Amino acid sequence: MSGQTKPRQTFLPFSPPLLGEEEIIEMIETLRSDWITTGPRTKKFEGEFARLVGAQAALGLSSGTGALHTALAAMGIGQGDVVITTPMTFCSGVHVIEQVGATPLLVDIQRDTLNIDPFKIEENLRKTRDKKVKAILPVHFAGHPCDMDLIMDLAKRYQLFVLEDAAHAIPAKFNGRMIGAIGDLTAFSFYATKNMTTGEGGMLTGSRDLVEKARVYSLHGIDRDAWDRYSETGSWYYEVIASGFKYNMMDLQAAIGIHQMRKLPQFMDRRRQIVKIYHQAFSQLGEIEIPTEKTGVDHAWHLYILRLNLERLSLSRDQFIQELRGRNIGSSVHYVPIHLHPYYRNNYGFKPEDFPVVYEEYQRMISLPLYPKMTDEDAYDVVSAVCDIVKGFRR
Ligand SMILES: *Cc1c(COP(=O)(O)O)cnc(C)c1O
């Protein structure tokens, strides 16, 4: 099993996609079909995706970032408004709040799941009653769903929108409910490293009403109803009812997505098998901490994040990553917290300790390779490398 100590001969990349002949054939058919941008394949993908997560409606977009941006606009969030989110996220989830003219309010995370802390959200809501908090933007970090009962309850009591960032959480469940069918709108990403990919791409799910509003914003603010109204007299006519964006999904993207979605159950089986191998090997080591999966939750296992017990090791996280690389194992860190980036540090005057849990956990996190293309042997190579480093740098 993990007894092999010889390092890998070839580099194991951190997160390549797994694409097959089905995607390739559909892509070629799309290219030959004379309809390459938003059209029948996007419509089909939207319908199937909505059914998968149990949402009323879905909207295909050019990226997860575009999905988040469009969602905020569709919710009517803008100048003077405040949106609550987590500092443990990808930068674009906070950029879009500024890009609609609103202000992000960062709230620290829970240590176990690394998700935004609902109790700290409430503390902030009580403190900032005068501020115009309009929405909560939780991130289902690494694929572990946030406590959506607590978050939806807060939203109801304080009359807030909930926009979930589910870039990591396809497919995931909280208390039996699919992520994508809980909050007002949920944004998914199909970036190349995500659980399913379209190269670049995204999806918004939610109520028919909000999704149709988002559809208008996603394509120049053009009202399709106007098109329908006038189509008999001339299909050249359209009306612009908002200053919208250009975030529509192409059929070329949907061609890939349709097949990736069908393979999702197999992808998840494989992810869980690798997680099992990691859990079994690493739970015996006191120098590292394995990720948690709370009861009542179906984890999407987008990321497997190890946390180093630094006081028991004589190397830093950065050195650990170097040691992994030296053993031909790719790894990464998710994420450099928002408040440590120069842009946010300078504009909001953040100090590292402003979000103590995020700051502390950031310094000891490593994301290990976890993807359906990995073989058991690949996973055991990762196990050997990690165990070898731990043995060599025990304090
Ligand atoms: C990937 C990701 C995004 C952005 O998605 P894109 O499709 O790359 O625009 C946003 N938030 C989180 C948490 C992500 O992981």
Side-chain angles (χ1 to χ4, degrees):
M1 283 204 3
S2 54
Q4 175 218 353
T5 46
K6 247 195 302 159
R8 268 181 81 91
Q9 293 306 298
T10 56
F11 185 71
L12 181 70
F14 174 67
S15 188
L18 180 52
L19 298 157
E21 279 309 305
E22 298 84 352
E23 287 88 332
I24 292 166
I25 290 165
E26 184 97 24
M27 186 78 163
I28 291 168
E29 279 173 9
T30 310
L31 285 169
R32 294 193 200 282
S33 76
D34 275 354
W35 200 283
I36 55 175
T37 185
T38 314
R41 281 184 171 87
T42 303
K43 198 179 162 85
K44 181 176 170 189
F45 186 28
E46 288 172 346
E48 290 182 9
F49 196 90
R51 234 168 296 136
L52 171 74
V53 301
Q56 269 185 17
L59 169 66
L61 294 145
S62 55
S63 70
T65 304
L68 291 165
H69 194 184
T70 304
L72 291 172
M75 288 168 169
I77 290 162
Q79 208 69 47
D81 295 336
V82 173
V83 177
I84 289 178
T85 194
T86 167
M88 184 59 90
T89 189
F90 184 60
C91 59
S92 77
V94 184
H95 291 344
V96 292
I97 297 171
E98 288 202 337
Q99 284 159 1
V100 295
T103 306
L105 175 61
L106 301 182
V107 169
D108 210 348
I109 57 169
Q110 295 180 312
R111 203 176 291 274
D112 53 357
T113 60
L114 302 168
N115 281 328
I116 192 167
D117 187 333
F119 299 100
K120 288 181 194 149
I121 295 178
E122 177 149 36
E123 257 172 51
N124 274 275
L125 285 169
R126 283 216 203 90
K127 271 198 306 218
T128 56
R129 266 189 185 286
D130 51 322
K131 283 196 191 154
K132 290 170 67 184
V133 180
K134 284 287 170 63
I136 308 174
L137 203 172
V139 179
H140 303 299
F141 194 76
H144 191 299
C146 295
D147 189 324
M148 291 311 293
D149 284 345
L150 292 177
I151 289 174
M152 294 310 288
D153 176 63
L154 282 174
K156 204 169 159 191
R157 282 195 282 130
Y158 288 86
Q159 292 183 304
L160 309 171
F161 281 111
V162 175
L163 166 57
E164 295 164 65
D165 182 338
H168 299 176
I170 169 88
K173 281 183 187 171
F174 180 77
N175 282 347
R177 282 178 302 164
M178 283 292 285
I179 295 302
I182 303 176
D184 296 291
L185 285 170
T186 304
F188 296 89
S189 165
F190 307 131
Y191 179 66
T193 58
K194 302 291 156 76
N195 283 16
M196 56 173 277
T197 185
T198 59
E200 300 281 357
M203 190 76 80
L204 257 187
T205 63
S207 68
R208 201 158 287 122
D209 217 41
L210 267 178
V211 168
E212 286 319 305
K213 236 180 229 166
R215 195 181 297 280
V216 171
Y217 275 102
S218 75
L219 194 62
H220 309 300
I222 290 176
D223 187 357
R224 285 193 171 192
D225 294 340
W227 175 287
D228 292 341
R229 268 202 305 277
Y230 291 92
S231 57
E232 276 169 37
T233 50
S235 58
W236 54 270
Y237 189 79
Y238 61 88
E239 283 177 355
V240 170
I241 58 167
S243 126
F245 317 123
K246 181 67 161 74
Y247 283 146
N248 54 305
M249 174 179 275
M250 296 189 288
D251 272 17
L252 283 171
Q253 293 167 293
I256 306 171
I258 286 165
H259 294 283
Q260 287 276 296
M261 201 181 80
R262 286 181 192 156
K263 295 175 182 178
L264 207 50
Q266 298 153 244
F267 287 175
M268 281 314 298
D269 284 346
R270 192 69 207 128
R271 283 179 183 276
R272 282 194 206 96
Q273 283 160 5
I274 295 158
V275 166
K276 204 169 153 194
I277 291 173
Y278 285 170
H279 273 359
Q280 264 168 7
F282 301 145
S283 56
Q284 293 154 28
L285 297 172
E287 291 80 5
I288 52 183
E289 197 179 301
I290 62 170
T292 42
E293 183 172 22
K294 287 194 165 177
T295 49
V297 148
D298 280 15
H299 200 310
W301 289 113
H302 174 56
L303 299 173
Y304 192 95
I305 297 180
L306 271 188
R307 282 183 270 178
L308 307 178
N309 292 328
L310 291 169
E311 71 289 348
R312 300 177 70 164
L313 290 162
S314 60
L315 82 177
S316 69
R317 184 270 315 278
D318 297 1
Q319 288 166 328
F320 204 106
I321 287 173
Q322 278 306 118
E323 292 293 328
L324 280 173
R325 187 166 301 158
R327 288 164 180 77
N328 266 332
I329 306 294
S331 62
S332 190
V333 175
H334 296 83
Y335 293 94
V336 178
I338 295 298
H339 72 293
L340 300 184
H341 287 296
Y343 174 77
Y344 287 97
R345 206 175 60 214
N346 295 337
N347 282 275
Y348 294 80
F350 289 133
K351 289 189 250 351
E353 317 77 48
D354 286 351
F355 306 98
V357 183
V358 163
Y359 185 50
E360 212 179 297
E361 296 310 306
Y362 162 61
Q363 288 165 290
R364 62 190 202 103
M365 295 173 24
I366 298 177
S367 304
L368 294 182
L370 172 60
Y371 45 93
K373 208 179 197 171
M374 279 175 80
T375 63
D376 282 4
E377 204 170 65
D378 292 334
Y380 287 124
D381 284 343
V382 176
V383 166
S384 302
V386 169
C387 292
D388 191 43
I389 298 166
V390 166
K391 274 185 205 122
F393 293 89
R394 245 176 207 141
R395 245 218 265 270

